[in-house]
C-alpha cells in the first residue's frame, strides 16, 4: 500500500479471524513501528507480544475481576468522564457501533456482552502490550512517545493486511496482565493493542469514524491567504 492508503484506509477492527499470526510477521510490523520518533531518541517503549494460552488466561482473569467489581488498576492517569464535544464524539462512535451490531438502547445484555468483548481484547489472536521503562515514569514524554509508536504499530499492521484496535479495557487489571505476559516491575503498562486478521463478516469492522476537518483542527498563523 501507499502511505496515504494506509492512513486513510485504516480503521479499528473489533472482530478477528481465529487464524494465528506468525511471529515473523509481528516482528516485521514492530520493526517498522519502532522507526517512530521519540524524545531525544530515548525510545522508551517495549512490547510484550502475547498469544495462545497466556492470552486466554489474561482474558479470563481480566473478565472475572472486572465482573466481580475489582477496581481497575490501569497504570496511566485517567482524565475522568468526557464532556462537551469530546463526549459528543464518544457517543457518536458508540451509536455507529451499536447500530452496526444491532444492539438496541434498551438491550442491557447485548451492551454488557459488548463490554465483555473489550475485556477479552476482542478475542483477537494476538495482544501487544506496550510498556515503558519505570526509570522515566512521572512525566508526560514517555507516554507521548508510546502514543507515537502505537500509532506506527497499527498503521504498519494495516499495511501488512492485519487489523488492530487500541484497547485500554484489556489492561484494566494490570496484575493479571503482568503475571501472564511476564512483565517485570521495572516496566509501566501503557496500553495494549489487539491484533489479527480482520473478519470481514463482523459488522462493526465496517464502521469508519468521522474525523474533524483540517479547518476544525488546525490554526494557521503567519500565512498569506
Amino acid at each position: 500500500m501507499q502511505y496515504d492508503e494506509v492512513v486513510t484506509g485504516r480503521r479499528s477492527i473489533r472482530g478477528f479471524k481465529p487464524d494465528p499470526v506468525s511471529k515473523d510477521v509481528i516482528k516485521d510490523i514492530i520493526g517498522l513501528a519502532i522507526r517512530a520518533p521519540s524524545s531525544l531518541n530515548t525510545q522508551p517503549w517495549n512490547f510484550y507480544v502475547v498469544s495462545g494460552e497466556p492470552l486466554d488466561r489474561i482474558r479470563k482473569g481480566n473478565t472475572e475481576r472486572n465482573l466481580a467489581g475489582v477496581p481497575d488498576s490501569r497504570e496511566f492517569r485517567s482524565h475522568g468522564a468526557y464532556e462537551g464535544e469530546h463526549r459528543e464524539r464518544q457517543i457518536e462512535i458508540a451509536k455507529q457501533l451499536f447500530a452496526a451490531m444491532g444492539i438496541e438502547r434498551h438491550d442491557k445484555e447485548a451492551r454488557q456482552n459488548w463490554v465483555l468483548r473489550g475485556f477479552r481484547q476482542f478475542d483477537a489472536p494476538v495482544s501487544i502490550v506496550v510498556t515503558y521503562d519505570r526509570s522515566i515514569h512521572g512525566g508526560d514524554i514517555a507516554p507521548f512517545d508510546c502514543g507515537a509508536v502505537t500509532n506506527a504499530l497499527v498503521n504498519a499492521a494495516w499495511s501488512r493486511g492485519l487489523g488492530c484496535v487500541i484497547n485500554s479495557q484489556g489492561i484494566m487489571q494490570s496484575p493479571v496482565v503482568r503475571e501472564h505476559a511476564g512483565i517485570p516491575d521495572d516496566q509501566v503498562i501503557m496500553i495494549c493493542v489487539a491484533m489479527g486478521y480482520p473478519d470481514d463478516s463482523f459488522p462493526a469492522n465496517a464502521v469508519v469514524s468521522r474525523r474533524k476537518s483540517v479547518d476544525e483542527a488546525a490554526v494557521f498563523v503567519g500565512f498569506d491567504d
Side-chain angles (χ1 to χ4, degrees):
M1 294 184 191
Q2 296 296 315
Y3 179 75
D4 287 11
E5 293 177 309
V6 173
V7 172
T8 59
R10 189 209 62 80
R11 57 191 182 276
S12 293
I13 297 299
R14 297 174 174 86
F16 299 90
K17 295 179 180 178
D19 307 32
V21 183
S22 75
K23 184 187 292 187
D24 286 343
V25 169
I26 298 171
K27 289 176 71 173
D28 178 45
I29 289 167
I30 293 175
L32 288 173
I34 58 178
R35 298 301 305 170
S38 64
S39 175
L40 302 175
N41 196 37
T42 50
Q43 303 177 55
W45 47 68
N46 291 292
F47 308 91
Y48 291 80
V49 186
V50 192
S51 189
E53 289 187 9
L55 180 52
D56 287 339
R57 290 194 291 270
I58 291 174
R59 298 189 219 277
K60 184 175 184 291
N62 195 41
T63 301
E64 288 178 349
R65 286 167 64 101
N66 281 310
L67 289 176
V70 178
D72 83 72
S73 52
R74 286 177 287 198
E75 298 177 9
F76 54 79
R77 292 181 297 177
S78 174
H79 47 69
Y82 287 115
E83 297 179 356
E85 62 184 9
H86 305 100
R87 175 63 174 164
E88 291 171 7
R89 283 194 282 269
Q90 180 187 21
I91 292 172
E92 181 182 14
I93 190 61
K95 286 181 175 179
Q96 286 181 263
L97 290 168
F98 288 165
M101 297 300 297
I103 300 174
E104 301 290 342
R105 183 180 181 85
H106 64 274
D107 192 341
K108 293 183 179 180
E109 182 179 355
R111 285 171 174 257
Q112 174 73 346
N113 287 338
W114 183 258
V115 171
L116 293 178
R117 288 184 62 84
F119 293 163
R120 299 195 309 267
Q121 305 197 28
F122 294 92
D123 299 323
V126 174
S127 175
I128 299 182
V129 184
V130 182
T131 73
Y132 63 89
D133 301 332
R134 193 174 296 278
S135 62
I136 51 176
H137 183 53
D140 293 327
I141 295 297
F144 180 88
D145 290 343
C146 284
V149 82
T150 301
N151 177 69
L153 185 75
V154 299
N155 281 331
W158 192 260
S159 77
R160 297 299 191 265
L162 285 128
C164 298
V165 63
I166 301 170
N167 174 28
S168 68
Q169 290 173 302
I171 55 166
M172 284 181 73
Q173 301 294 337
S174 61
V176 172
V177 180
R178 282 191 180 279
E179 177 184 357
H180 299 299
I183 300 173
D185 289 339
D186 66 0
Q187 295 296 299
V188 177
I189 297 174
M190 184 68 225
I191 200 68
C192 72
V193 178
M195 179 184 293
Y197 293 102
D199 179 357
D200 293 334
S201 69
F202 191 75
N205 286 348
V207 170
V208 178
S209 59
R210 184 186 67 83
R211 296 305 170 113
K212 294 164 66 174
S213 68
V214 174
D215 288 339
E216 290 176 297
V219 176
F220 293 89
V221 180
F223 288 82
D224 295 329
D225 290 337

